Amino acid sequence: MTTRGVLYVHSAPRALCPHVEWAVAGVLGTRVSLDWIRQPAAPGTWRSEFSWQGQVGAASKLASALRGWHLLRFEVTAEPCATAEGERYSCTPDLGIYHAVTGIHGDILIPEDRLRAALQRSQRGETDLEAELSKLLGKPWDDELEPFRYAGEGAPVRWLHQVV
């Protein structure tokens, strides 16, 4: 079964760009050439966006292939398909990697055991429930990546052709 998704490289030093392409090509098993543009949120870095198609599980393999590079900020998404839920991976140098399962409409699906664990930690006074839920929803990653998501001047425009 195949799925499709998008890799968003929000910021990468120029020297890292070819290595990102090689890593993506290695996971997808095809030649990859990304269109790189300057990232205005972090001068001296570059950004790119790549729509991919591959086997279910390719998003996790892409995230694993890219996660070890300290100066790289990225997100990988995979659409749900007949045999798998969707996925979202976000990674920043400061926070590391975040993973969420997503439903057909893009909502984050949080397993009940993770919710129970968050509730128990807050009941024991180890943490605040709001902070725990914020982490489960990926808010710290969203907060850090938001300035990098902005499509600056010269960024490609993605036109949506299907209304749900």
Side-chain angles (χ1 to χ4, degrees), residues 67-94:
R67 74 181 279 174
W69 296 332
H70 178 66
L71 299 175
L72 188 64
R73 288 178 183 86
F74 69 89
E75 291 181 276
V76 181
T77 64
E79 295 179 3
C81 64
T83 61
E85 299 285 358
E87 293 183 283
R88 172 183 159 209
Y89 293 87
S90 301
C91 189
T92 72
D94 293 333

Side-chain angles (χ1 to χ4, degrees), residues 97-136:
I97 200 152
Y98 166 79
H99 172 251
V101 175
T102 56
I104 191 168
H105 299 293
D107 297 320
I108 293 175
L109 306 176
I110 302 172
E112 62 185 78
D113 61 329
R114 292 182 72 192
L115 288 170
R116 281 191 185 104
L119 184 59
Q120 288 173 353
R121 281 191 297 276
S122 72
Q123 288 173 338
R124 289 190 305 257
E126 297 172 11
T127 186
D128 175 63
L129 182 58
E130 185 176 348
E132 284 291 313
L133 293 176
S134 178
K135 283 194 294 188
L136 287 173

Side-chain angles (χ1 to χ4, degrees), residues 20-34 50-52:
V20 170
E21 292 180 3
W22 297 331
V24 173
V27 169
L28 299 178
T30 184
R31 187 181 179 288
V32 172
S33 178
L34 302 178
F50 179 69
S51 295
W52 58 269

